[in-house]
Amino acid sequence: MAEEELTYLNSESLKSALESLLLVATDAITTADFAKVTNVAPAEVAEALKELAEEYMRCNRGFQLREVAGGWRLFTHPAHHQLVSDFVLSWDTRRLSQAALETLAVIAYHQPVTREGVRAIRGVNSDGVISSLREKNLVREVGKEADRGQAILYGTTALFLERFGLKSLRELPPLEDFAPDEESKQFIRERLSGRSFTSTLEEATEDIDDERSLLGDDYDTQEDA
């Protein structure tokens, strides 16, 4: 963008324009895209976005501006999470089930991971749930394993980062923080330590086989997404 082609807006006019774009955006918008639309220098746009974010935070507004997944997007204030959640869940038919949330957590914290890897941790077949998460564009195929039959590896998407308000996967909180006791923490350390899944898969398979033999025809490994 040549300097002579740039539009020179005062700070307040630029911030007003950016707010209008943020309100109609359905995805995070990059600084470069903002600059292209407003015809303002990227550095000036970046500074205005940071000022807006600080203003919203300082005034304790009901929404916040955050940089996520390589772009900027408005989010509701964390203090109102429960209120907003109750309201949204009353009409959002695409909300995630408990099984979907569990599966998404496993993939997020141990990606790249195969379907067998997810089953090893959850203890149940999660194929249907993974397919549902793929349809929602929260999970994607990221490659294949070199062994064990070229099993597909799954990871999270940019939309996952955006929906959960994360700049990157490095911002995922330590999973151990959610453990209720030391025994649970140790279990999480072992499951998410990065070691080979071979022994874990064998243990999970044995558990599932035992459960199948006990329940017979009533055993159902497929969960609703």
Side-chain angles (χ1 to χ4, degrees), residues 143-167:
K144 293 184 178 181
E145 281 194 328
D147 54 4
R148 288 209 294 275
Q150 294 288 303
I152 296 174
L153 293 165
Y154 294 93
T156 52
T157 64
L159 181 62
F160 164 80
L161 294 176
E162 186 176 324
R163 289 290 186 264
F164 286 85
L166 304 171
K167 288 185 179 180

Side-chain angles (χ1 to χ4, degrees), residues 77 84 115 168 178 195 217:
H77 196 293
V84 173
R115 291 174 183 260
S168 70
F178 301 99
R195 66 186 177 88
D217 295 337

Side-chain angles (χ1 to χ4, degrees), residues 19-64:
E19 285 179 321
S20 296
L21 294 173
L22 285 163
L23 285 173
V24 298
T26 57
D27 299 305
I29 309 177
T30 65
T31 301
D33 286 338
F34 274 126
K36 183 178 181 180
V37 172
T38 60
N39 203 30
V40 173
E44 189 176 348
V45 170
E47 182 62 28
L49 288 167
K50 291 179 181 178
E51 289 181 6
L52 279 175
E54 292 172 359
E55 287 177 17
Y56 299 155
M57 188 74 69
R58 184 173 61 255
C59 297
N60 198 30
R61 302 296 297 270
F63 51 87
Q64 296 179 343

